Amino acid sequence: LSRTEDTKRRARHRIGPLYRWSGFSAMAPPKKSKKSVENLNSRLQLVMKSGKVALGYKTSLKTLRSNKSKLVLIANNTPPLRKSEVEYYAMLSKCQVIHYNGSNVDLGTACGKYFRVSMLTVVDPGDSDIIRSTADSL
């Protein structure tokens, strides 16, 4: 071993598994305030109780194609190609898109479901003012 390789090996040994598995980026994505996320979650719960939604990719595309949807929520770990496809359909049907600040597991939990939800469309908001409030914040 050369001298530099030897020092790298020693440093790796001292640090341990943190050195080997540090796959995190240096900069974190900008986060929304916790209050706005809780606000969106509470409005989403009200939509789930009193309104009508379509959960999932296939049913979201069906409602977008038939011009029934008013709002689309997309989880942040949805694949980019699928995300852009849904955004394109939403632009054609003149409906608003919100990028949910959480994974598909978080979005499913916010809907009160025990499964993952990559995206959902709001067909009828019911008693909730989710469409007006998100239009004001954007």
Side-chain angles (χ1 to χ4, degrees):
L1 293 172
S2 69
R3 187 178 171 125
T4 55
E5 289 175 333
D6 191 39
T7 54
K8 284 180 187 176
R9 189 173 52 85
R10 283 188 193 152
R12 194 179 310 126
H13 179 69
R14 265 186 257 131
I15 294 172
L18 293 176
Y19 179 80
R20 288 187 208 110
W21 301 108
S22 63
F24 300 104
S25 63
M27 288 179 54
K31 296 210 175 195
K32 289 182 179 176
S33 66
K34 200 168 195 173
K35 212 170 200 178
S36 66
V37 173
E38 289 173 2
N39 199 8
L40 183 64
N41 284 349
S42 63
R43 286 192 166 96
L44 188 56
Q45 286 173 351
L46 191 57
V47 168
M48 294 299 291
K49 281 183 187 173
S50 64
K52 192 171 181 186
V53 296
L55 298 175
Y57 171 68
K58 283 173 115 179
T59 53
S60 293
L61 282 188
K62 284 178 189 174
T63 57
L64 281 168
R65 280 194 215 111
S66 60
N67 254 347
K68 292 179 184 171
S69 59
K70 311 267 191 299
L71 175 75
V72 180
L73 272 140
I74 304 175
N76 69 356
N77 64 342
T78 307
L81 184 64
R82 184 172 284 193
K83 210 181 272 191
S84 64
E85 181 184 7
V86 170
E87 286 170 350
Y88 178 69
Y89 276 113
M91 184 258 309
L92 289 177
S93 66
K94 296 182 180 77
C95 119
Q96 188 180 354
V97 177
I98 296 176
H99 295 282
Y100 186 76
N101 195 23
S103 65
N104 53 5
V105 177
D106 299 333
L107 188 56
T109 306
C111 292
K113 303 295 180 189
Y114 293 110
F115 48 84
R116 297 172 288 196
V117 176
S118 64
M119 65 190 64
L120 67 93
T121 57
V122 176
V123 178
D124 176 36
D127 298 332
S128 177
D129 62 339
I130 191 166
I131 295 170
R132 276 178 286 154
S133 65
T134 52
D136 295 339
S137 65
L138 292 176

